[in-house]
Amino acid sequence: MTKDSRSLRGVLFDVDGTLVDSNYLHTVAWWQAFRRLDYDIPMANIHRAIGMGGDKLIGHLLGGDPEPEVEEKLDSSHGAIFSTSWPALRAFDGAADLLRACASRDLAVVLASSASEPELQALRQAIDADDAITSATSSSDAEESKPAPDILQAALDSAELEAGATVFVGDSVWDVKSAAALGIPTIGLTCGGTSEAELRDAGAEQVFESPRDLLENLQDSLLGPAQRA
């Protein structure tokens, strides 16, 4: 399927690993959280699960349904460890420019994040493009986390958008699967550490290296010529 640019009204952006270089910081934070509870989970396995919501990630890596108190301890430990990295958060090159370029095309720009509200504020500060952002979601806006589509539906609702009039930009296979559940085409970025092959196998229609790469090829992307009906 090719997105008809005449119908395009908005673009949803994942944040961690897509706009902000934070996936490996999350990986280390989860690794340390698991180690605190004597779970020895390889970092490579953790990285491949980044993009899932925390609850899904824990179950995926431990197998089955962990005890609620274990899940709560792991989640809170990860959050506390990751928060120490907030001052070091950096947006990928071109992230702010990409958001502004989309806004200049009269597209609603929505951050479809499942981060906590304080974490989202730290991420937005790193991006430094609030002038281009129409709305944003946080973990409190969805009952079920990725790869369930709840957070993307919340993002659509926040800007009064329809799935058929949007494109999603993300960096993980879980992003692609979440968008596919709503029929939203995905542009994948490899800057989060997932390969082009994996993103395309998951269903991404286009893949670029980074926000800068997408920006420089905007006319040839699903976000291309702004020929609105």
Side-chain angles (χ1 to χ4, degrees), residues 19 65 98 154 210:
L19 298 174
D65 297 313
L98 176 60
S210 64

Side-chain angles (χ1 to χ4, degrees), residues 69-140:
E69 64 180 30
V70 170
E71 185 175 305
E72 183 178 352
K73 287 180 180 178
L74 286 169
D75 190 58
S76 61
S77 291
H78 162 263
I81 296 166
F82 182 70
S83 69
T84 65
S85 299
W86 290 359
L89 289 174
R90 294 294 182 270
F92 285 112
D93 176 47
D97 292 338
L98 176 60
L99 299 189
R100 293 190 175 104
C102 291
S104 73
R105 292 166 176 259
D106 295 326
L107 293 174
V109 174
V110 184
L111 302 186
S113 172
S114 54
S116 66
E117 187 59 38
E119 185 178 314
L120 177 61
Q121 293 307 312
L123 293 165
R124 291 182 68 155
Q125 184 175 355
I127 299 167
D128 192 22
D130 275 359
D131 54 291
I133 297 171
T134 303
S135 59
T137 63
S138 67
S139 56
S140 62

